[in-house]
Amino acid sequence: MSLGTWLKAGTSATALVLAMAGAATAAPAPPDESSTAQAATVTLRYDDSRAPGWEAAIAAGVASWNANVSNVHLVEAAPGTVAEIVIVATTGWPQATLGPVRPGRQVRVELGSQAVDQGYNKTRIAAHELGHSLGLPDTKPGPCSQLMSGSSPGTACTNATPNATERSRVQSAYASGIAAFAPTDGRILIDAP
């Protein structure tokens, strides 16, 4: 093969390698915001079929969390499907498994009538116990403005909305869907005064 043929072949091969390398290292087009938001949202199902008398409080507590955090969404489980959050009514003090619960895993929330009998607000109780499932520990003692202060502000407190710090902690726990891989604490937190 002549020197000229070698040079042509070498030049063509170099151009081909450079073109392929450029294509391999080119940055992918950024995803649009709606697909990013959807990909980052963790959906958790709850089953309240064993919590008669608590349906309205649970719905309000779920609505509060859904309105205040964007990367985790609580939905009622369809009959016959497995839920990540199992909610039951009991006669004791409210308690819950400390999360963050992972999709496909399960935690338990017990909504105890003993707290209601003593005058505590049902919606605050439900939202507070759901907060445990999402990974928030108690912040007792604390003011009424802290949902996770639980019973410490007294029976006059009806706040069922997480404050900025609580929202931020849940957002961090479920950032980019990472809660799917984060360990669940598994401790049971009993919310007696």
Side-chain angles (χ1 to χ4, degrees), residues 80-170:
T81 61
V82 177
E84 285 84 11
I85 304 171
V86 175
I87 305 171
V88 298
T90 69
T91 57
W93 278 98
Q95 57 184 292
T97 309
L98 181 60
V101 64
R102 298 174 277 177
R105 299 294 178 104
Q106 196 170 72
V107 295
R108 181 178 169 99
V109 167
E110 295 184 10
L111 300 176
S113 62
Q114 191 170 355
V116 176
D117 294 345
Q118 291 195 15
Y120 292 97
N121 179 269
K122 283 177 117 175
T123 301
R124 179 172 169 85
I125 293 168
H128 174 91
E129 298 307 324
L130 288 168
H132 287 320
S133 296
L134 298 175
L136 298 177
D138 286 314
T139 55
K140 295 178 182 180
C144 183
S145 60
Q146 291 177 346
L147 176 60
M148 300 314 293
S149 66
S151 60
S152 65
T155 58
C157 179
T158 61
N159 173 41
T161 304
N163 68 16
T165 301
E166 294 162 334
R167 292 189 302 267
S168 176
R169 289 187 69 188
V170 170

Side-chain angles (χ1 to χ4, degrees), residues 45-47 75-83:
R45 296 163 296 189
Y46 68 91
D47 175 6
V75 297
E76 189 169 4
T81 61
V82 177

Side-chain angles (χ1 to χ4, degrees), residues 65-85:
W65 279 108
N66 285 343
N68 284 285
V69 293
S70 61
N71 60 357
V72 63
H73 187 71
L74 304 174
V75 297
E76 189 169 4
T81 61
V82 177
E84 285 84 11
I85 304 171

